[in-house]
Amino acid sequence: MENLFFQFKTLSLSILRFFYSLISGGEGCVICGNPSYIIPLCKDCRTQFLTRNFLGVKSCKCCGKELISESELCMECREKPVLKSTDKMLPLFSYRLWNKELLFLWKIQGIRSLSFFFAKIMAKALKEINVDYIVPVPPRPGKIKTNGWDQIDELSKILNFKYGFKVLNLLERTSVIQQKKLNREERLNSIQSAYIFSNKIPDQLPQKVCIIDDVCTTGSTIETCASIIKTNTTIEKVYAMTLFAVD
């Protein structure tokens, strides 16, 4: 019943947005400006996102951020590595230019048609690293009740319903503080107490899972979640994937 309600709700929102875009003259692609209608990306620009070879990018072996001149590790991971419990980190895109605008439109403006587009990208990347089980980073307490939705909750549902990935809700968030309002040191100091284990353990656990989130800034959220999972379960490998990474 929950699956049918979710699909009906998201389909209704997409239809309403489509008709609104027709009446108002159509959405413009945030990259090239061409008409795009339902989501703010035209077909050609969507194709560029979807055809990227995520595993073929030269990236840091620790945080997964794309390397420019460094070898194996980025400068931050050489000096102060954050990711220690995380076995593999894969940020899909850098948080620059129109990527920042896309995240803003999705997360802040609530253009939920982007959820399906981002889910398609993430599904492709998850298949590349051969992971079937995902662990969503949970929202702040009360966020879904206040806003009506949470982007990672919706993303994980689409990955489950449309692409068949199994969702393990192993984590709960206790802090209501928004991490984007904190600087790097404040994030690292506060994040360790922001999440707890949910104690909702299924009868059988896989050997590896992938934590999913929208953006990686310092890596502190991902590392805290990975550490909690390894401490409280028998899961051996904890990967992490974010749509964007601040570099």
Side-chain angles (χ1 to χ4, degrees):
M1 193 67 183
E2 181 185 354
N3 293 8
L4 291 174
F5 176 73
F6 171 75
Q7 292 179 40
F8 174 77
K9 181 174 66 175
T10 51
L11 178 61
S12 299
L13 288 170
S14 296
I15 292 173
L16 288 172
R17 182 167 179 78
F18 175 72
F19 280 109
Y20 173 76
S21 68
L22 290 179
I23 295 171
S24 62
E27 292 286 343
C29 176
V30 299
I31 298 177
C32 67
N34 290 330
S36 59
Y37 299 105
I38 295 179
I39 67 173
L41 280 174
C42 68
K43 183 178 179 181
D44 290 340
C45 292
R46 291 199 303 268
T47 301
Q48 291 182 21
F49 273 90
L50 291 168
T51 55
R52 179 173 180 177
N53 178 11
F54 301 110
L55 297 183
V57 177
K58 183 183 176 184
S59 58
C60 174
K61 288 187 176 181
C62 181
C63 69
K65 293 179 182 178
E66 189 171 347
L67 297 177
I68 300 176
S69 60
E70 304 96 334
S71 176
E72 295 191 353
L73 295 174
C74 67
M75 292 304 297
E76 285 189 0
C77 290
R78 287 174 187 270
E79 298 173 0
K80 294 181 179 180
V82 174
L83 300 174
K84 299 175 182 178
S85 300
T86 309
D87 295 288
K88 186 178 185 65
M89 177 66 191
L90 184 61
L92 303 183
F93 303 100
S94 63
Y95 188 56
R96 304 175 191 164
L97 302 174
W98 50 76
N99 289 341
K100 296 179 68 173
E101 187 170 352
L102 283 174
L103 183 60
F104 177 80
L105 291 172
W106 181 46
K107 188 173 180 178
I108 308 301
Q109 295 295 321
I111 299 182
R112 295 172 66 174
S113 54
L114 279 168
S115 298
F116 291 90
F117 174 65
F118 287 142
K120 188 173 184 179
I121 292 176
M122 192 165 277
K124 176 179 181 289
L126 286 167
K127 289 176 182 177
E128 287 186 12
I129 61 173
N130 194 28
V131 172
D132 297 321
Y133 289 80
I134 57 175
V135 179
V137 172
R140 300 187 312 277
K143 179 182 178 182
I144 294 179
K145 184 177 180 180
T146 302
N147 298 347
W149 77 300
D150 171 69
Q151 69 277 6
I152 301 305
D153 175 72
E154 184 160 281
L155 190 66
S156 63
K157 286 178 178 176
I158 298 172
L159 287 168
N160 175 231
F161 300 152
K162 187 172 183 179
Y163 298 100
F165 292 96
K166 299 174 181 64
V167 180
L168 297 175
N169 293 301
L170 300 178
L171 304 165
E172 291 181 9
R173 184 165 174 175
T174 58
S175 172
V176 296
I177 299 174
Q178 292 181 276
Q179 294 299 306
K180 67 180 180 180
K181 295 182 178 180
L182 306 178
N183 60 37
R184 179 179 174 83
E185 291 302 319
E186 289 172 335
R187 284 172 182 261
L188 294 174
N189 292 332
S190 68
I191 203 67
Q192 293 182 2
S193 59
Y195 297 92
I196 60 173
F197 189 64
S198 70
N199 291 318
K200 299 175 183 177
I201 306 178
D203 294 334
Q204 290 186 332
L205 286 170
Q207 290 186 332
K208 63 181 177 181
V209 299
C210 185
I211 299 168
I212 63 168
D213 204 0
D214 52 5
V215 61
C216 175
T217 304
T218 62
S220 54
T221 296
I222 293 297
E223 176 59 20
T224 297
C225 293
S227 177
I228 291 172
I229 292 171
K230 284 193 171 181
T231 301
N232 292 277
T233 72
T234 57
I235 296 171
E236 297 176 3
K237 297 288 184 180
V238 178
Y239 296 169
M241 183 178 295
T242 62
L243 289 167
F244 305 105
V246 178
D247 51 12

